[in-house]
Amino acid sequence: QVRLVESGGASVQAGDSLRLSCAASGRPFNVLDLAWYRQSPGKQRELVARITAGDRQRYESAVKGRFTISRVNALNTVYLQMSNLEPDDTGVYYCNAVEFSPAGVLRGDYWGQGTQVTVSS
């Protein structure tokens, strides 16, 4: 079982920057694929950014060039650095961790409780 605790959400103005953190516990952090999702009002939860155990990164097109996902394995923490925030970035941001066996079988899929980001114009 993996426990994920997000922090860093806030109410900001358009153009501001914000960094979200997600601290993980319960499983070896370096084997986890990690991601940030968001759920905006009236919309389905969507992938924002992902970083694999091997440090490969992937971004949703709307945030490319503005958001950066990173991980510090020694701190069991994944970050989402958000710059030049827009009102459409408003939503609840969720941390996600996925663990696969060496053979590629899904072992677990875990979620944090979410942190609210509100961007005003």
Side-chain angles (χ1 to χ4, degrees):
Q1 192 75 7
V2 174
R3 182 168 181 256
L4 301 169
V5 179
E6 302 102 332
S7 61
S11 294
V12 297
Q13 297 291 315
D16 285 353
S17 297
L18 202 59
R19 188 177 79 161
L20 306 183
S21 301
C22 173
S25 60
R27 293 291 294 156
F29 187 77
N30 61 322
V31 305
L32 300 173
D33 289 350
L34 303 158
W36 287 95
Y37 286 74
R38 71 183 174 199
Q39 187 159 18
S40 304
K43 296 183 180 179
Q44 290 188 332
R45 192 175 297 189
E46 62 177 355
L47 175 68
V48 174
R50 182 188 305 281
I51 185 166
T52 68
D55 260 355
R56 290 193 304 274
Q57 298 168 31
R58 172 190 166 190
Y59 296 92
E60 192 262 331
S61 58
V63 308
K64 269 184 186 177
R66 299 189 298 120
F67 290 12
T68 302
I69 189 170
S70 62
R71 62 191 296 161
V72 179
N73 289 343
L75 298 178
N76 292 349
T77 300
V78 59
Y79 302 97
L80 184 68
Q81 178 67 48
M82 305 184 291
S83 302
N84 195 19
L85 282 160
E86 303 170 353
D88 282 350
D89 295 319
T90 293
V92 179
Y93 283 70
Y94 296 91
C95 182
N96 171 254
V98 177
E99 183 181 3
F100 292 95
S101 73
V105 176
L106 180 67
R107 277 183 171 164
D109 188 356
Y110 310 99
W111 294 89
Q113 82 287 352
T115 186
Q116 176 71 44
V117 173
T118 302
V119 184
S120 302
S121 57

